[in-house]
Structure formats: C-alpha cells, structure tokens
Amino acid sequence: MAMDPEEVEFLAEKKLVSIIPTFNSNVIHLISGDIGPFRASLPVNVPLWIAVNLKQQQKCKIQPPDWMDVDRLQELKEEEKMSRTFIKMPSEHYMIEAKLLLGCASDDIPRADEIRTVIKDIWDIRMSKIRSSVDVLVKGAGTYAAVDNLTLMEINSIRPLLPHALDQLYRMRKTRKSAGTQSQNSSTFLSMNVNSKNTPSKS
Amino acid sequence: MEDSINVEDFDSLGNEENEETEEVPLTAAEVIELMEEAWRNEKFAPDILPNKSEVVDCLLGQISYMEENLRIEQHFDDILSFWPGLPSDEWRNDPVIPNINSFVFLKSKNEIEGVVIDDGTEQEEDLVDFKTDSQLIISYNSVANLVRSGEVQLI
C-alpha cells in the first residue's frame, strides 16, 4: 500500500512553526488544539499549515526553524557524506518543511536560494545511499533491515518497490524450502542494517 | 481544548488483555492522534485490523461540536454524507486473501525484545530486538500482534 505525497505532507503540516503575526486575535479553538492569542509583532507558534495560510494572506512573517540555516545545513551535508549510515535529520519532515516554507516565505528566510540547494544536495546524497542499500538488501536476500533515521518522505520513495521486491524474495525462499534446499544464516550490516540470508553455492 | 472527553472501555484501544475498565479522559487532540495511528496502521497492514469505532464515534462527536464553532456546516455535511454503504454479497464467491507475509515499514514505540523473524524458511528462527523509536522494514506476520497491541506503529 502506497502513501500519497499529499498524505505525507498532511502529516508534516502539524509541525509547529514560529510566526510573527501582523494582526491581533483572541485564541482560536481548533479540534487539534488552541492557537493564539495573536498579538501583532509578538512571535507565536502555530502548525505549519496555518503558518503557510497566514503568510499567503500576508498576515504574518515566518521565523525559519533553527536548522534552516546555510552553515548548519552545510555541516549536515558533510556529515551525511562522511557517514556510512543515515544521519538523524534536524526535522522529521525536513523536505516538506523546506518546500512549504521556502515556497511561500523566501522573503523571510535569509539566503533562501542557497538553503534550497543544500537541502536538495542532502536529499540526493541520502537517496543515492538508499538506492545502494536497497541493491545490497535485495541481492543479499534480506529478511529485515533497519531503516533508522529515514524520514517518512524518504521511506515513501522506496515504497512500494522495496517491500514488493522483498515479498517476492520471501516467496522464492518458501518455494526453495519446500524444494528441500539448505540455507544458512548470515548477516550483513550496511547503511540500512540488513539482516540477510544467503544460500551458499553448491559444492 | 478545555473540554476533555470520556471514552468508556478505552482500554480496548490499547491493551486488549487489560481487564480493568477505566474511563480515560482524552483531549480532542489525543483522539485525533489515535485516529491517525489507526489510519496509518490500517493503511499499511495487509489484513483488516480491529475496528476502532470508539475513536471514530468520539471524533464525529467532536466534529459536530466544532462545526457549530466554526460555522462551516455545509462542508462537514458533504463529508459526513459520504458513506459508501455495505458492499454486496458477491465478495463471498471470491474472497481476497491478504498476503500477511508482505513487507511493511514500522516504528517501534517501546523496547521490544526477541521478536521472531519469519524468513519463510521455517528454520533457525532469527530473533531481533527493537529499540524505542527504531525503524525497520520487516515481514508483517513477524509483527502483526505488536501492531494490534499498539507497541509498534506502521509507517
């Protein structure tokens, strides 16, 4: 079962963002909780979807999250390059937050273009790691793998391909088992800590 | 929200073996969390999970309350009237059997030790420990009971 990118975005839009409103308003009661009160030029936290909406109506300025900073992101990019495994991103939904905030509030975010580029670079590095890990996982006929620190958007990018490939391998193992071939345990550890079963070649 | 909701028999949402029936006051936001958890589990599980009608009823109640609050009755009527009704009996002739061995992504909510990995060969059972917040791709039948008990979340 796949998840639409819109659904991943929906989940990410609950993330709180600090805004500086240009209007005054009492507390607003929403089903997911209260927001406000809003006082002009006093920062207040609201869910991402509200921040984007208010910004589009030019009713607030966005305060970018701490991590949305070129130097910080450059460091993360280097760290991601050096690391064999996936590093923990500063936000579980960094890609969506960046896309939405840079999309509507590039005037509130210093060096927005550079930020966009570095985030894209980090995404690309991680996607290439995912591709090589999936390759090893499938070739090694893995039975499970750790996907720690992958964000939902990244997991979604290997769905449904990876689960389907593993489903097929599972079927093949089952068939082979009923055909009576021996198999042996062995584990490989990759960027995705893969536990795999290899069938030794017959001597 | 200043109002909290009392849900009777709420223990059935979490631990089904829990015999004690307690009224757990939940905020609307917490009910939404439960709803979202149920949605994601149901979405990714190959089989049909236990019905969370308590959560749905609770949330529908909240929606009626909010619709007065927000004065957008028209919009909610459209959503609430979308109820596809019961399917015809034809499915009985051709039941769909889910592949419960299919692979799923999950996030562990707790430390869980000694999960038995079904690798399809039925020999030399592999065991794996989950750490809190660890994420894995694994065959569903290895973790189906953990999904039902709410110890892991499908993602």
Side-chain angles (χ1 to χ4, degrees):
Chain A
M1 182 53 97
M3 189 177 237
D4 296 335
E6 291 78 19
E7 290 173 317
V8 183
E9 206 167 290
F10 171 80
L11 292 169
E13 282 176 339
K14 289 184 298 181
K15 187 78 196 283
L16 294 180
V17 179
S18 173
I19 61 163
I20 301 172
T22 55
F23 63 98
N24 294 308
S25 163
N26 290 331
V27 172
I28 300 171
H29 301 290
L30 297 179
I31 201 160
S32 53
D34 297 345
I35 55 163
F38 298 91
R39 294 285 166 257
S41 63
L42 283 185
V44 60
N45 284 336
V46 294
L48 182 55
W49 63 272
I50 294 175
V52 169
N53 191 285
L54 290 173
K55 176 67 190 177
Q56 282 165 345
Q57 297 179 57
Q58 301 186 328
K59 287 185 172 166
C60 74
K61 278 175 94 65
I62 304 272
Q63 295 200 298
D66 291 345
W67 60 266
M68 214 175 272
D69 166 87
V70 178
D71 297 334
R72 176 86 198 279
L73 287 167
Q74 284 290 2
E75 279 167 30
L76 284 173
K77 178 180 158 183
E78 289 312 309
E79 215 183 306
E80 186 68 67
K81 257 195 223 162
M82 303 307 290
S83 170
R84 207 168 50 88
T85 57
F86 298 91
I87 64 165
K88 188 170 172 58
M89 294 307 286
S91 158
E92 203 194 332
H93 296 289
Y94 73 98
M95 202 57 189
I96 297 167
E97 265 181 86
K99 187 190 122 194
L100 293 180
L101 292 180
L102 292 167
C104 74
S106 53
D107 54 334
D108 295 339
I109 302 167
R111 301 163 79 185
D113 283 338
E114 288 170 75
I115 289 177
R116 203 174 274 130
T117 310
V118 190
I119 290 180
K120 176 75 168 50
D121 289 348
I122 295 175
W123 171 267
D124 288 344
I125 296 168
R126 290 168 70 93
M127 289 315 286
S128 102
K129 272 190 203 174
I130 288 180
R131 278 192 293 273
S132 51
S133 306
V134 164
D135 186 56
V136 180
L137 174 60
V138 171
K139 283 183 181 153
T143 54
Y144 67 91
V147 291
D148 288 324
N149 295 337
L150 279 187
T151 64
L152 198 51
M153 191 83 160
E154 290 159 345
I155 286 177
N156 219 39
S157 73
I158 39 174
R159 187 157 44 203
L161 189 67
L162 178 60
H164 281 184
L166 295 178
D167 290 354
Q168 292 300 338
L169 289 167
Y170 183 98
R171 286 196 188 99
M172 286 157 75
R173 264 198 304 275
K174 246 193 146 96
T175 317
R176 192 189 292 152
K177 181 234 156 198
S178 47
T181 311
Q182 290 289 319
S183 73
Q184 203 177 52
N185 273 331
S186 76
S187 313
T188 340
F189 290 92
L190 318 158
S191 17
M192 289 184 192
N193 288 311
V194 172
N195 185 290
S196 70
K197 291 223 157 187
N198 294 320
T199 307
S201 53
K202 281 177 194 163
S203 47
Chain B
M1 289 303 312
E2 68 268 38
D3 334 69
S4 59
I5 307 150
N6 284 308
V7 186
E8 285 164 47
D9 299 328
F10 227 88
D11 59 305
S12 63
L13 289 175
N15 188 354
E16 282 170 33
E17 284 122 61
N18 188 354
E19 291 293 319
E20 286 169 41
T21 304
E22 275 178 59
E23 288 208 347
V24 186
L26 291 171
T27 64
E30 286 166 336
V31 178
I32 291 180
E33 285 290 314
L34 289 172
M35 185 78 195
E36 195 182 287
E37 231 172 68
W39 163 53
R40 293 171 75 180
N41 280 339
E42 191 71 62
K43 190 173 183 60
F44 295 123
D47 58 350
I48 297 175
L49 298 175
N51 195 325
K52 303 276 186 189
S53 54
E54 317 88 66
V55 179
V56 176
D57 290 346
C58 204
L59 204 52
L60 286 177
Q62 275 300 299
I63 290 173
S64 321
Y65 171 77
M66 291 308 289
E67 94 191 318
E68 285 164 33
N69 244 3
L70 295 172
R71 299 187 194 289
I72 48 171
E73 293 85 348
Q74 187 56 50
H75 182 61
F76 276 111
D77 281 348
D78 289 347
I79 293 169
L80 292 178
S81 61
F82 175 73
W83 191 256
L86 294 170
S88 70
D89 257 5
E90 280 169 37
W91 63 272
R92 285 175 192 279
N93 303 327
D94 190 15
V96 179
I97 297 157
N99 173 16
I100 59 147
N101 306 317
S102 63
F103 278 74
V104 292
F105 290 97
L106 67 81
K107 184 173 201 143
S108 181
K109 293 198 221 161
N110 304 316
E111 300 259 331
I112 306 166
E113 287 186 356
V115 178
V116 181
I117 304 298
D118 167 38
D119 63 2
T121 61
E122 291 166 30
Q123 42 172 273
E124 283 187 59
E125 288 177 338
D126 252 347
L127 293 180
V128 62
D129 297 336
F130 297 170
K131 293 193 192 92
T132 306
D133 283 341
S134 62
Q135 301 183 147
L136 292 103
I137 179 167
I138 196 167
S139 70
Y140 178 72
N141 57 342
S142 311
V143 295
N145 57 336
L146 298 173
V147 173
R148 278 159 203 266
S149 66
E151 287 179 271
V152 302
Q153 165 77 55
L154 297 185
I155 55 174

